[in-house]
Amino acid sequence: MSNNVLGINNINYCYNNNKESPENTEQSINHKSVHDLTLAPQVIKFHNRDTEQHTLTRWILNQNTRLTSILGTSGIGKTTLVKRFLDLNLDKFEIIIWKTLKYPNPLTQLLNDLFNTCEQEPKETLHDKIKQLLDILTNNKCLIILDDIQNIFTHGELAGKYQPEYQDYQTLFKLVTETQHQSNIILISQEECPEMESLDPELYPIKSLELSGLYHPDILQNTGLKNQDSWLDLIKLYAGNLMFLKTITVLIAKNYDGEVVEFLAENTLHITQQMQSHIQEIFNRLSPIEKQIVLYLSRFENPISREELRQTLIETLKLSSVDFNNGLQSLQQRYLVSKIKEDKVMFSLSSIFREYVINYCKD
């Protein structure tokens, strides 16, 4: 078997000269592999995500999960995990396309870009475009990654509510799970999509992988920090969030000459300017109900029970029971509030987010 590889504008076309022409030449492009990774990040380091990597590999390659969500707070390593999976499995797919929705486009424009990459003329209507995509997913082994999905959701509303101009994405995601095909779509998001909730996971091939922080001293190697015995304490302080650890290591290097012990001795969860700017964006996305719950939760350093939280918010702040439950669920879908099961169900606000709220938000 002989292959020719042609690279144009970071899009690689890998031709198989000995492969027979497909019967459906319009929708199937089995005679070549198309990899558009222009917007995919470069992974320089990959730390301690072997379990998650094996899970993702099993779901996509062995179980043919059609729609997979990689979820977690910003900076936790979602995009890096997916790129690592991609680097290890490039030869498993005929079509690989990576798109970011950091500055989202309407679905029709996104589909047109996909078809242009696949060298197909886009159909006229959105309905026909979606069918055209489903035909491609059926006739080819595809992997499509959509990063920063949370940007198509509405600011100031509960998590996962689509902006009107991006409502068509919800239709697409549903059809991808309900239609029989051989391809896979990965959604990377800070908020859980409504489509990822399935009462029957056996019937609908949907999977969600939620990432938590990394707690291993190796992630601070080659950062110039001193006092290696204290690295794990620093990592725990910032909840194993790689993005936050990156900015705090710069501060420690400049202000403390890399002395982690001196920094920790101040017993302060320092919020850098970069963290503040980033967390402010997250806070601004919250609905008014969520902000009320967050402001109240920020008063407590330790977890509090659901009943205590509910009683105060309903009786004092006059939230309805429906609003309280919806708001609490939404905050968990944003990975800002965690549920802890002890003798009774307890809830806790993310420590870093709590520190931001205490210092920069007013009741």
Side-chain angles (χ1 to χ4, degrees):
M1 181 182 294
S2 62
N3 294 316
N4 293 328
V5 180
L6 175 63
I8 303 175
N9 295 331
N10 292 324
I11 302 175
N12 292 327
Y13 300 91
C14 307
Y15 294 85
N16 180 350
N17 293 338
N18 294 337
K19 203 164 189 176
E20 294 182 0
S21 299
E23 295 180 2
N24 186 344
T25 56
E26 180 180 4
Q27 301 299 347
S28 178
I29 55 175
N30 283 331
H31 61 291
K32 66 183 178 181
S33 294
V34 178
H35 295 172
D36 180 2
L37 304 179
T38 309
L39 300 177
Q42 181 182 5
V43 175
I44 300 175
K45 288 183 179 180
F46 184 76
H47 299 286
N48 302 299
R49 292 284 191 195
D50 291 340
T51 299
E52 293 89 341
Q53 189 65 232
H54 291 321
T55 298
L56 193 56
T57 299
R58 184 176 75 254
W59 287 352
I60 293 178
L61 298 183
N62 298 337
Q63 298 179 7
N64 195 34
T65 302
R66 295 176 202 153
L67 189 66
T68 303
S69 263
I70 310 300
L71 301 166
T73 187
S74 181
I76 211 70
K78 303 181 297 295
T79 300
T80 299
L81 174 68
V82 175
K83 183 54 164 58
R84 177 64 172 171
F85 167 80
L86 188 57
D87 290 342
L88 294 174
N89 296 285
L90 283 171
D91 60 337
K92 304 295 195 307
F93 303 93
E94 297 164 277
I95 301 173
I96 302 176
I97 299 176
W98 187 300
K99 293 292 183 183
T100 177
L101 300 182
K102 186 174 180 64
Y103 304 103
N105 291 316
L107 179 59
T108 185
Q109 184 173 337
L110 177 77
L111 292 177
N112 286 345
D113 291 343
L114 294 177
F115 298 141
N116 289 334
T117 298
C118 296
E119 297 184 325
Q120 287 196 15
E121 185 67 29
K123 302 294 186 181
E124 289 295 328
T125 67
L126 179 59
H127 176 272
D128 289 337
K129 291 179 197 293
I130 292 177
K131 183 179 184 303
Q132 184 178 3
L133 175 65
L134 292 174
D135 286 341
I136 292 176
L137 299 180
T138 300
N139 294 310
N140 304 272
K141 182 64 174 174
C142 307
L143 178 64
I144 298 176
I145 299 105
L146 301 179
D147 200 353
D148 287 316
I149 287 291
Q150 71 278 350
N151 290 320
I152 63 177
F153 299 141
T154 305
H155 285 222
E157 299 282 356
L158 297 176
K161 182 175 181 180
Y162 289 84
Q163 297 181 50
E165 59 267 39
Y166 305 124
Q167 192 70 47
D168 294 327
Y169 280 87
Q170 184 175 31
T171 302
L172 174 64
F173 298 153
K174 287 182 178 179
L175 287 173
V176 164
T177 63
E178 295 170 356
T179 305
Q180 183 70 39
H181 57 80
Q182 61 171 320
S183 298
N184 314 91
I185 293 181
I186 297 178
L187 309 180
I188 305 174
S189 181
Q190 298 173 31
E191 298 177 23
E192 186 176 1
C193 304
E195 297 71 46
M196 304 313 296
E197 299 176 0
S198 175
L199 295 178
D200 189 350
E202 297 299 323
L203 182 61
Y204 294 106
I206 302 170
K207 298 287 186 182
S208 293
L209 182 59
E210 299 180 346
L211 298 191
S212 55
L214 283 172
Y215 296 91
H216 198 286
D218 283 354
I219 66 179
L220 296 181
Q221 290 287 352
N222 302 316
T223 58
L225 294 183
K226 303 172 185 176
N227 318 123
Q228 189 166 353
D229 290 345
S230 299
W231 287 3
L232 189 55
D233 293 331
L234 178 65
I235 292 169
K236 289 178 180 178
L237 185 62
Y238 288 92
N241 186 299
L242 296 175
M243 180 172 65
F244 294 159
L245 285 166
K246 180 179 179 181
T247 181
I248 204 64
T249 55
V250 173
L251 181 142
I252 295 173
K254 290 185 175 181
N255 292 1
Y256 298 81
D257 194 31
E259 295 285 349
V260 175
V261 170
E262 290 186 17
F263 175 79
L264 294 176
E266 296 183 2
N267 198 29
T268 300
L269 182 55
H270 188 93
I271 304 293
T272 67
Q273 183 177 347
Q274 293 92 329
M275 289 183 200
Q276 181 181 340
S277 175
H278 182 77
I279 299 174
Q280 182 179 352
E281 291 182 14
I282 297 174
F283 185 82
N284 290 341
R285 296 183 65 88
L286 302 184
S287 66
I289 295 169
E290 290 172 294
K291 288 179 179 178
Q292 282 185 287
I293 297 174
V294 160
L295 287 169
Y296 181 75
L297 270 175
S298 68
R299 301 174 186 175
F300 300 90
E301 186 173 354
N302 296 318
I304 67 170
S305 70
R306 175 193 169 279
E307 189 53 39
E308 180 183 354
L309 182 60
R310 176 184 180 277
Q311 183 176 0
T312 300
L313 290 171
I314 289 178
E315 292 182 1
T316 304
L317 299 181
K318 307 303 181 185
L319 280 183
S320 70
S321 182
V322 171
D323 285 343
F324 166 74
N325 279 315
N326 287 340
L328 187 59
Q329 179 183 4
S330 182
L331 288 167
Q332 292 175 81
Q333 290 176 282
R334 299 184 195 272
Y335 304 96
L336 298 177
V337 169
S338 57
K339 180 174 65 176
I340 302 166
K341 294 182 180 179
E342 295 179 346
D343 295 336
K344 49 187 174 181
V345 177
M346 312 285 282
F347 291 93
S348 177
L349 191 62
S350 158
S351 59
I352 301 172
F353 193 70
R354 174 178 178 269
E355 191 70 18
Y356 170 83
V357 171
I358 290 173
N359 288 286
Y360 301 104
C361 300
K362 297 188 180 295
D363 231 328

